[in-house]
Amino acid sequence: MKGVRHYPGFLGITIACLVVLYAPLIVVTIYSFNDSNSITSWGGFSWRWYADVFTGPEADRFAAAAWNSITIAFLAATASTAIAVAAALAMIRGGRFKGKSATYALINLPLLVPEIVTAVATLIFFSTIGLTTGYLTILIAHITFCIPFAYLPIAARLSGIEETYEQAARDLYATRAQAFWLILLPLLMPGVISGYLLAFIISLDDFIITNFVKGAGMETLPTAIFGSVKQGIKPNIMAISTLMLAVSVLFVTLSYLVNRIGQKTRT
Amino acid sequence: MIGVFLLIPVLLMAVYSFLTKEFRGGVIWDFTLAAYDQFFFNRGLFGDEPPVIEWTYISIFWRSIWQAALATVACLLVGFPTAWFIATRPPSQRSVWLFLITIPYWVNLLIRTVSLKFLIRDNGPLNEFLMGLGVITDPLPLVNTNLAVQLGLFYSYLPFMVLPIYAAVERYNFALSEAAADLYAPRWTILREVVLPVVKPGVVAGCLLVFVPSLGAFLAPDLLGGAKTYMIGSLIDEQFKGSQGNWPFGAAVAVVLMTLVLIALFLQARAAAKGARE
Amino acid sequence: MSTAIDIRSVVKRYGTTTALHSVGFEIGDNEFFTLLGPSGCGKTTLLRCIAGFEDVSEGQILLFGQDIAGLEPNLRPVNTVFQQYALFPHLSVIDNVAFGLKMKGMALDARRARAGKMLEMVHLSAFADRMPAQLSGGQQQRVALARALAPEPKVLLLDEPLSALDLKLRQAMRVELKSLQEQTGITFVFVTHDQEEALTMSDRIAVMSQGRVQQIGTARDIYEGPVNRFVADFIGETNLMEVDVTAISDGMADVILPGGHALRCPAAATTPGRHHLSIRPERVSLADGGEVTATVERVVYLGTDVQVMTRLPGGVPLSLRVQNSARIAIPAPGASVSLHLEEGAARLLAD
C-alpha cells in the first residue's frame, strides 16, 4: 500500500509524455549537426549548416527576417508589458469600477479566440482603415496579442503584494508617484521581467497572425522558415530551428529563475 | 489597445462576412448573404438550380471537430496521469516537473511541428529506428494521414491539458481519497467516484484549452496532413491568399468557427457556474 | 492637557453600509489612547481615517487644531505601525527606518544618523544592514516602530501591532511600547481587540461596537463602571441578568435579585423598570450567612482560581471565582451555598 496518491503506471505515462514532447526537438537538434547533404543519412558531426545559415545563399533573407523578428519582439514586448502593468494596476488596485469584468474578459480575449480568427479579424481591420500591411501592422498585432501573456505574471505578482506597502510609503510622506516608483515597482519587478520575457517569446514565435498581416515581401523568421519548409525540410532549416529553440529555452529558463527568486523575496 | 485592435476587428470581421467579394481579394460594400449561402447550400454551377445542402464545408467542419475531439481525448488520457503524478511529488520537485512540461510550449509551434514532421516522415528517424529494431519491415506511412494531424495537435497542445488539471489536483484534499479508501473503495473506484468529480473543473478547462485551438489549428494540418486532412484553418487561410481568395467567405467561415468556440465556452461557463452553485 | 486629536461627528459609509455612526471624542496630547472592540466594530476604519487611507463621509478630524480630513496621507504628520508591519521587503532595516526621513528631504548623512539612533532605541543597532525577511517577528515589530517614530510624528497610530506575536513576546512588547511612549512623549493611538492589552497599557480606552463608541474612560472606569451590556460583557467576565428596579436616585438603584433579595448598587440607568444587572464573578464570595442562596451546578478547576457555577432560585445562572486556596472549601455540585456580594460587585446597566 503506497497511499492514495499513488497510481500504478502514472510515472510511466509522465515519462512517455516528456519523451513525446522532447523527442522531435532533440532529433532536430542532433540532425542540425549532420555533415551530410541529405537529411536522411548521418554523415558525422559538423557545424557546416550553422555556417550556412550565416553565410549561405539564404543568409541575407534570414538575416533580414531575424532583424524584423527581434526588433518587433523587442518593441512589442516593451509596449505590451507597459500596457499590462497599467491594466494590472487598474484591475487589482483600482477598486471596483464599471465594466471591470468586461475589461477582464477583454484582456484575456486573445487567449480564448482561435489564433486564425484573430488573424482574419486583424487583417480585415487593417485593410478597412487603409493601413498598408507591413512592419507596422505586424507590430500592432503583436502588441495586442502579447498583452495577456505579459498581464498574467504581472497580475499574479501584484495580487500577492499587499496594499499596506504602498500605504506605509504614503504614511511615511511619499507621494503617489514615489510610492509607485520606490516601493511598488521594485516589488513588482519579478512579475514585470517574467511578463516581458514571455511576451518577447510569444512575439518571436508567432506565425499564424504574422503570416496574415505581414504583406508581400515582409518576412519574420517563422514566416521565412515556413516558406522554406514548404519546399521540403533542408538541413539549414534544422540549424536555424535549433538556434531559435535555444533562444526560447534560454528566455523561458530566465523567466522561471526570475520567478523563483521573486518567490524567495516575497514576505 | 485590445479593445481597438481586437474587439473592433472581430466585429468588423462579422460585417465583412455579409459583403460581396471582389476578385483579386478585397470586398465590395454590398450587403449580401452570399458567403453564408455558399457555405451551407449548393445552387449548381451557375447558381440557378434549387438549393441543396452543400456538404463540402460542413464536412470540413465536421472533420475538424472530430480531429480536435480525438486530440483532446488523447491529451486527456496522457495529461491527467501526468498532472496527477506531478501534483503528488514533493512541493520542491513540482516546479521542476512543471517547467519540463511547459518548455516545449514556449518553443515556436512552427519549429515543433516541422520537427515532428522530420521525425515521423517516411525515411525519418522514427521509421528507421523501428525498422532497425525489426518491428516493421516497411516504413509506416505516417505523414499526410489523419493520425499525423492528431499526433501534431496532441503534441502542440498537451501542456494546455496538463496545467489546469495540475492546478486542480494540487488543491485536491487527499483526505477525501483516504476517507474513501477507509470506506472500502478500491483505488480506481476512488479515482472515478471521488477524485474526478472534485477536479472536474480543471479537467473541463484543460479539454477546452486543447479543443479550441485544435479546432482552428493551421500548422499541424497544413504541414503534417494532406488533401484528405484539410481542416478549418487551411480553409480560412486559403480565402485570404492571392487572387483565388474570397474575403467574405473566409470571414464567414471564421465567424462560424468563432460561434462554435463561443458555444463551447458558454457551455463550460454554465457548467462551471452550476458546479459552483452545488 | 491640550488636545492632540479632535474627532468631530465622523461618519464613514461604504456604499449602503455604515462603518462609523457619528463618532466624536478627543484624544489628549501625550496620551496612550486605545480603541478597543471586536473585529468589524469600526476601530480600524477610524484609525485609517486618521491616517488618511480612508476619506471620512461626514465630520471633521482636527490634529492640533488643524482639519486634516481632506489631506493626503503623505501630508499628515502622523505615522502608522501596521498590523503585519509592512516593512519594505526590498530595503534593508536601516533604509526602512530612514524611508520617511528621505521622503521629507533629509540629507543622506543626517537621516542615516537619525535612523541609527532610532534602531538604538529599539535595541536593533546590530541588525541595521539585514533585510526584513531575516528578522524574527518581534524584531520586525521593533523595526516598524522605529520606522514610524523616526520622522517624529505628532501622533503614532498602531493597528493591532502585537497580534502577530506569540504570547510571551506580546507581554514583553506591551511593557516596551508603554515605556517608548513615555520616553518620546508622542501621543499613541492604539487599536486592539485584546482587552488585556488595552487594560494594561492605556491611559484611556474607547470601547467600540457596531460603528459606535460605547464608553470612554480609564481602564478602571470601564472595568468597574460599565455603562451597558456590551461593555460589561466585552471587558472581563461577568454575570448578566435581568432585574426589576424599584427606585433610582443619585446614581444608585434599588433592585430585586432573582430569588427576592433586595440590593442597592451603582447604576448607569436613570429610570426604574427592567434593566440588566452585571455582577463580576471575582467580587462574589462563598460566605456562611451570605445574603444570597444558590445551588452549585458545576465546579471548573482553572489553576489559580476555581470557577463555581451556581443557579439562583428561579434558575438564573450566577458564576463566581474563588481563589484556589487551602483555606477555602470548595462545595460539591448539588450543594446549597450562601453567597456574599462584595462592595462594587453589582452594577445596574443602562440597557
Side-chain angles (χ1 to χ4, degrees):
Chain A
M1 185 72 196
K2 286 169 117 178
V4 293
R5 289 153 196 263
H6 176 78
Y7 280 86
F10 279 20
L11 169 64
I13 294 177
T14 305
I15 288 172
C17 175
L18 288 175
V19 168
V20 169
L21 287 175
Y22 284 91
L25 301 178
I26 291 169
V27 165
V28 161
T29 304
I30 292 171
Y31 274 80
S32 71
F33 294 104
N34 187 0
D35 193 36
S36 165
N37 270 328
S38 147
I39 56 166
T40 312
S41 57
W42 179 253
F45 179 89
S46 152
W47 287 101
R48 66 180 278 208
W49 297 113
Y50 288 88
D52 184 79
V53 166
F54 292 103
T55 58
E58 289 186 294
D60 289 343
R61 188 165 148 255
F62 284 137
W67 174 251
N68 289 335
S69 271
I70 288 166
T71 54
I72 286 171
F74 171 76
L75 293 171
T78 307
S80 59
T81 304
I83 293 168
V85 169
L89 284 175
M91 292 298 292
I92 292 163
R93 286 292 193 264
R96 262 178 277 171
F97 60 88
K98 231 180 178 177
K100 185 168 182 171
S101 52
T103 311
Y104 182 77
L106 200 58
I107 291 170
N108 289 299
L109 194 58
L111 297 178
L112 297 175
V113 179
E115 229 187 324
I116 192 123
V117 174
T118 312
V120 168
T122 313
L123 172 66
I124 287 175
F125 176 69
F126 288 138
S127 155
T128 307
I129 63 172
L131 208 53
T132 316
T133 48
Y135 192 91
L136 184 64
T137 53
I138 298 177
L139 180 61
I140 293 173
H142 279 219
I143 292 172
T144 307
F145 69 70
C146 283
I147 290 172
F149 292 94
Y151 177 82
L152 290 177
I154 293 172
R157 176 85 188 171
L158 184 60
S159 53
I161 300 173
E162 285 181 48
E163 228 168 313
T164 47
Y165 292 121
E166 292 134 87
Q167 285 171 353
R170 299 276 284 135
D171 186 59
L172 294 163
Y173 313 106
T175 61
R176 266 174 215 282
Q178 283 170 322
F180 176 77
W181 289 107
L182 295 176
I183 302 299
L184 188 57
L185 195 58
L187 294 179
L188 196 56
M189 221 41 186
V192 173
I193 293 172
S194 183
Y196 184 92
L197 293 175
L198 295 186
F200 192 91
I201 296 185
I202 289 291
S203 166
L204 204 60
D205 281 1
D206 179 73
F207 166 74
I208 294 178
I209 295 172
T210 311
N211 191 37
F212 263 76
V213 301
K214 70 187 175 67
M218 186 72 198
E219 298 280 8
T220 63
L221 266 183
T223 64
I225 292 173
F226 185 79
S228 296
V229 168
K230 274 289 174 186
Q231 285 128 40
I233 303 174
K234 283 176 290 182
N236 63 341
I237 292 300
M238 288 195 275
I240 207 166
S241 294
T242 304
L243 287 173
M244 285 188 75
L245 199 152
V247 170
S248 294
V249 172
L250 181 74
F251 269 69
V252 176
T253 309
L254 277 178
S255 163
Y256 171 79
L257 291 177
V258 165
N259 250 328
R260 278 214 131 177
I261 294 163
Q263 267 157 20
K264 281 188 192 135
T265 63
R266 180 161 290 182
T267 54
Chain B
M1 185 81 188
I2 291 181
V4 175
F5 293 108
L6 191 62
L7 198 59
I8 294 176
V10 167
L11 297 175
L12 208 56
M13 176 180 82
V15 173
Y16 258 60
S17 68
F18 294 104
L19 298 181
T20 306
K21 78 162 175 175
E22 189 186 38
F23 294 96
R24 301 167 186 276
V27 287
I28 301 163
W29 284 81
D30 269 335
F31 284 89
T32 164
L33 283 171
Y36 291 96
D37 188 76
Q38 181 187 351
F39 187 90
F40 290 108
F41 300 108
N42 183 350
R43 291 170 193 273
L45 194 54
F46 302 103
D48 51 0
E49 293 168 34
V52 288
I53 292 186
E54 166 65 70
W55 290 106
T56 313
Y57 305 116
I58 294 173
S59 66
I60 290 174
F61 262 75
W62 179 243
R63 187 190 300 134
S64 300
I65 292 170
W66 182 238
Q67 294 275 41
L70 284 176
T72 306
V73 169
C75 282
L76 180 61
L77 290 178
V78 173
F80 186 89
T82 304
W84 180 278
F85 178 79
I86 295 174
T88 52
R89 292 309 93 202
S92 55
Q93 293 176 21
R94 281 182 212 160
S95 69
V96 177
W97 282 98
L98 274 184
F99 182 58
L100 284 175
I101 293 286
T102 43
I103 282 187
Y105 168 68
W106 296 111
V107 173
N108 196 319
L109 183 60
L110 172 64
I111 289 176
R112 283 196 290 155
T113 312
V114 170
S115 303
L116 187 63
K117 183 173 187 176
F118 177 77
L119 181 67
I120 65 170
R121 73 192 199 285
D122 289 0
N123 297 317
L126 181 67
N127 273 317
E128 299 219 325
F129 177 69
L130 291 176
M131 284 196 289
L133 285 180
V135 181
I136 50 170
T137 47
D138 295 312
L140 290 173
L142 285 170
V143 173
N144 298 349
T145 63
N146 282 328
L147 185 64
V149 176
Q150 280 152 26
L151 191 61
L153 295 174
F154 167 77
Y155 174 55
S156 301
Y157 303 118
L158 182 58
F160 285 175
M161 182 64 86
V162 175
L163 295 178
I165 296 179
Y166 164 80
V169 174
E170 200 200 15
R171 282 195 307 270
Y172 175 70
N173 179 3
F174 285 96
L176 295 179
S177 284
E178 282 165 355
D182 186 54
L183 296 166
Y184 318 109
R187 197 174 290 284
W188 294 98
T189 310
I190 297 173
L191 191 65
R192 192 178 68 237
E193 299 288 331
V194 180
V195 176
L196 274 179
V198 174
V199 301
K200 198 171 129 206
V203 173
V204 172
C207 289
L208 212 59
L209 283 175
V210 172
F211 184 76
V212 167
S214 295
L215 198 55
F218 170 71
L219 283 172
D222 194 74
L223 288 172
L224 297 168
K228 272 189 282 178
T229 62
Y230 202 72
M231 279 174 65
I232 305 172
S234 309
L235 177 64
I236 295 176
D237 183 69
E238 214 165 64
Q239 308 309 320
F240 293 91
K241 289 289 140 66
S243 55
Q244 293 301 307
N246 181 343
W247 284 35
F249 183 64
V253 176
V255 166
V256 175
L257 170 61
M258 205 174 73
T259 310
L260 280 179
V261 168
L262 290 179
I263 289 171
L265 288 174
F266 174 74
L267 289 178
Q268 190 254 347
R270 213 177 58 170
K274 198 174 145 214
R277 270 202 307 277
E278 283 161 4
Chain C
M1 185 169 71
S2 64
T3 303
I5 300 179
D6 185 358
I7 295 160
R8 292 186 180 170
S9 318
V10 165
V11 176
K12 175 66 188 173
R13 288 187 211 94
Y14 296 101
T16 53
T17 58
T18 306
L20 294 173
H21 297 269
S22 191
V23 169
F25 56 84
E26 292 179 10
I27 298 171
D29 198 8
N30 294 340
E31 201 172 12
F32 196 120
F33 191 92
T34 298
L35 299 171
L36 173 66
S39 63
C41 73
K43 56 190 194 297
T44 297
T45 304
L46 183 58
L47 193 81
R48 292 169 63 83
C49 286
I50 300 172
F53 305 134
E54 308 275 355
D55 296 322
V56 300
S57 307
E58 282 173 33
Q60 285 179 305
I61 297 174
L62 304 185
L63 186 73
F64 292 97
Q66 184 204 359
D67 187 0
I68 57 166
L71 286 182
E72 293 279 305
N74 54 323
L75 301 175
R76 300 182 186 207
V78 297
N79 290 138
T80 306
V81 177
F82 290 83
Q83 193 169 7
Q84 306 290 339
Y85 321 134
L87 297 180
F88 305 130
H90 62 299
L91 299 181
S92 66
V93 165
I94 188 108
D95 286 340
N96 260 284
V97 176
F99 187 87
L101 305 170
K102 184 179 172 188
M103 291 301 108
K104 289 188 101 174
M106 194 185 272
L108 181 68
D109 291 344
R111 66 179 190 250
R112 287 207 79 114
R114 166 114 187 107
K117 248 196 201 131
M118 298 310 296
L119 284 178
E120 224 168 87
M121 192 175 76
V122 296
H123 318 296
L124 283 177
S125 301
F127 298 88
D129 295 319
R130 296 268 187 106
M131 297 308 274
Q134 298 168 304
L135 302 183
S136 70
Q139 290 165 338
Q140 292 186 18
Q141 163 71 77
R142 301 216 293 275
V143 175
L145 262 171
R147 183 177 74 174
L149 286 169
E152 296 180 307
K154 289 181 173 166
V155 172
L156 186 72
L157 308 174
L158 303 103
D159 184 8
E160 307 220 14
L162 306 183
S163 62
L165 302 179
D166 60 48
L167 183 67
K168 279 257 162 75
L169 212 48
R170 209 150 62 210
Q171 286 168 343
M173 280 306 294
R174 278 182 207 157
V175 179
E176 204 165 325
L177 267 181
K178 184 70 186 161
S179 78
L180 262 179
Q181 192 260 334
E182 282 159 5
Q183 243 179 76
T184 56
I186 291 174
T187 307
F188 277 33
V189 181
F190 187 89
V191 160
T192 183
H193 63 270
D194 180 354
Q195 43 144 329
E196 202 180 314
E197 254 170 50
L199 294 177
T200 51
M201 288 191 289
S202 320
D203 295 323
R204 282 196 307 152
I205 300 167
V207 183
M208 293 185 68
S209 161
Q210 298 186 324
R212 290 188 172 88
V213 173
Q214 304 292 332
Q215 188 170 4
I216 295 180
T218 63
R220 184 174 287 266
D221 288 344
I222 286 177
Y223 186 78
E224 297 188 359
V227 297
N228 58 24
R229 263 188 293 169
F230 177 82
V231 177
D233 201 29
F234 190 74
I235 314 285
E237 266 179 82
T238 198
N239 294 287
L240 286 175
M241 59 191 74
E242 259 191 295
V243 293
D244 284 315
V245 182
T246 51
I248 291 189
S249 61
D250 301 332
M252 295 299 280
D254 292 312
V255 302
I256 313 283
L257 284 184
H261 177 69
L263 178 78
R264 194 167 165 78
C265 68
T270 51
T271 53
R274 262 183 105 63
H275 288 288
H276 280 88
L277 185 74
S278 156
I279 301 176
R280 292 288 182 197
E282 70 279 11
R283 295 278 179 98
V284 183
S285 53
L286 296 162
D288 289 333
E291 61 271 31
V292 181
T293 53
T295 312
V296 176
E297 199 170 59
R298 191 188 292 266
V299 174
V300 182
Y301 181 77
L302 298 171
T304 56
D305 285 358
V306 176
Q307 185 184 23
V308 182
M309 297 160 91
T310 70
R311 281 191 190 273
L312 297 175
V316 176
L318 175 72
S319 109
L320 56 141
R321 288 273 190 134
V322 181
Q323 217 177 52
N324 187 6
S325 150
R327 283 178 288 121
I328 300 170
I330 305 298
S336 182
V337 290
S338 63
L339 307 174
H340 169 59
L341 301 186
E342 291 167 11
E343 182 73 30
R347 179 173 166 84
L348 187 67
L349 306 174
D351 52 352

